[in-house]
Amino acid sequence: MTERTLRAEPRPETAGSPPPPHRLVLPIILTCQLMLILDATVMNVALPRIQSELGFTDTGLSWVMTAYSLVFGGLLLLGGRAGDLFGRRRTFVVGAAVFTAASLLGGLAGSAELLIAARVAQGVGAALAGPSTLALITSTFTEAKARVRALALFSAMSSSGFAIGLLLGGLLTEWISWRAALYINVPFGLAIVLLTSRYVADPPRRRARLDLPGAVTGTFGVGSLVFAFTHAASHGWGDTITLGGLAAGLALLAAFLTIETRVSEPLIPLRLFAERDRAAAYVNFFLGPMAMMSMFFFLTQFLQDIAGFAALETGFAFLPMAACMFLLSRLIPKLLPWFGPKPLALTGTALMTGGVVWLTTLTTDSGYFSHLLGPMLLMGVGAGLAFSPLSVIIMATVPTADAGAAGGALQTLQQVGATLGLAILITVFGAVTRTPSGSPAETTVGGMTAAFTVAAAVTAVSFLVALTFRRRA
């Protein structure tokens, strides 16, 4: 065979392009991402039963949610860099294995302390696996159309996973036990670990160094801020511990930014923010979850404590919103090339703002169909339009060498935004409810509407950020 024949009729494996990925690769990665996101909210509906069984205090109960989100968000940047250093597939598998084992231990927990420890371990596993999900998508799907589709589906899982977690948590809590919300991770986690090693290709690793000083200052900085806001909800802003936590958090985050500008291998390369659309997408990935998590947290309690819904009914109440978020996310690969990110983000954030403003009108007599379904639908459609394009904007053009760091930064901002936003809004809620303004139910709803007012301001800022996107088709 001549050299001319080889050039004219290249065989697929020698043509210079990698073979197409196995059809199971995307389901494996997306299932892992959905599992990680679900656990940020799947325990919400079960909190009353967890408190009665394990003896949590009212203040300590919030740490069932916060312990996972805080560790997950705080260590994501380190997890992204670990993937670059040790291999993305290996880090993905190790993270999924740690998450699965921690889920089993959490289901078996016989005390409040053991459950919190298991949730912390879940956060560690999620922080290892999370950044590698995006990095593996970027390195596996090299063709532009396939990559945009994969990233859009990833966004669908990330956006709708919070609401699906509430639905799943309600189903499992009502039908089996709150422990089932943790046990269900075990078979899926084992399948992910086994199938990844067989079907997911390991992209080439590059030389990198772990930025431990950056990881320590960033993680403890965010943790201190969350603690300060949570403590302020019950003790006020004049409390010495509150002020100390706030000062420590700000100082540690300032140290983190200083470290990132000086080390050779930063956890967050500042060049990721040099491109305008990518920088705006990162900001909105921080702001969006701040408003979304407040809605999930407070509406879950409104439905159960004020409207008298059971756990199963509460889960189903969020189904229309989850369906809207998922269906809109599926349309993003078709809408984004036609309209570009700006019209989608503006429409989505405007709808979200309208939905949260609507929630500020809640009273103790508000019904589901008259006052809750409408805002939920607006939030679902708005989130599907506003945030599904963001993963595409961030990851579609990022250099392969920065894929791990870019994915880690994206999910860090999402998780930290959700955790810090919830802490801030719980502080607003606590400030209002410390001064009774009627019956206990009226006082509680008054605190919720005050929190929704602040959340509406956050979505309005997100709208302003969306104005900075370039208008391109």
Side-chain angles (χ1 to χ4, degrees), residues 182-461:
L182 292 167
Y183 287 142
I184 197 173
N185 293 326
V186 177
F188 288 100
L190 290 174
I192 289 168
V193 169
L194 295 174
L195 294 175
T196 299
S197 302
R198 181 171 182 180
Y199 295 113
V200 179
D202 192 10
R205 71 184 67 175
R206 69 185 187 89
R207 297 184 64 182
R209 298 178 61 187
L210 290 178
D211 178 17
L212 290 178
V216 170
T217 53
T219 300
F220 282 97
V222 173
S224 297
L225 288 182
V226 171
F227 173 80
F229 279 104
T230 303
H231 195 264
S234 57
H235 293 78
W237 285 105
D239 184 80
T240 303
I241 296 177
T242 299
L243 295 175
L246 184 64
L250 294 175
L252 286 168
L253 288 180
F256 169 75
L257 292 176
T258 302
I259 291 170
E260 296 306 283
T261 60
R262 296 181 178 180
V263 297
S264 58
E265 296 284 351
L267 291 176
I268 302 182
L270 296 182
R271 58 183 174 272
L272 293 176
F273 300 90
E275 204 274 324
R276 191 173 86 185
D277 282 356
R278 190 184 299 136
Y282 272 130
V283 173
N284 270 359
F285 240 122
F286 177 77
L287 295 174
M290 294 182 76
M292 295 296 292
M293 285 301 291
S294 71
M295 188 193 67
F296 295 141
F297 183 81
F298 289 115
L299 285 189
T300 298
Q301 296 186 58
F302 180 90
L303 288 168
Q304 294 188 85
D305 298 339
I306 306 299
F309 279 39
L312 182 60
E313 293 175 301
T314 301
F316 272 109
F318 287 92
L319 181 59
M321 183 181 65
C324 287
M325 295 169 72
F326 186 78
L327 291 175
L328 263 295
S329 300
R330 293 296 302 271
L331 293 175
I332 290 302
K334 298 179 180 179
L335 297 176
L336 193 58
W338 280 98
F339 298 102
K342 189 170 187 175
L344 299 182
L346 288 174
T347 303
T349 51
L351 291 174
M352 287 184 65
T353 303
V356 184
V357 169
W358 194 342
L359 289 175
T360 63
T361 65
L362 284 180
T363 67
T364 54
D365 298 323
S366 296
Y368 176 74
F369 290 102
S370 60
H371 289 86
L372 294 177
L373 181 59
M376 285 183 173
L377 292 176
L378 286 179
M379 292 288 284
V381 174
L385 288 174
F387 301 115
S388 292
L390 300 183
S391 295
V392 180
I393 295 169
I394 291 171
M395 299 301 298
T397 59
V398 73
T400 302
D402 288 332
L410 182 154
Q411 295 188 67
T412 295
L413 290 171
Q414 181 186 42
Q415 292 297 325
V416 171
T419 305
L420 187 58
L422 183 57
I424 293 171
L425 295 172
I426 286 176
T427 302
V428 174
F429 174 84
V432 173
T433 55
R434 278 200 301 271
T435 305
S437 58
S439 68
E442 290 172 338
T443 301
T444 298
V445 174
M448 291 178 179
T449 55
F452 287 135
T453 301
V454 176
V458 172
T459 57
V461 174

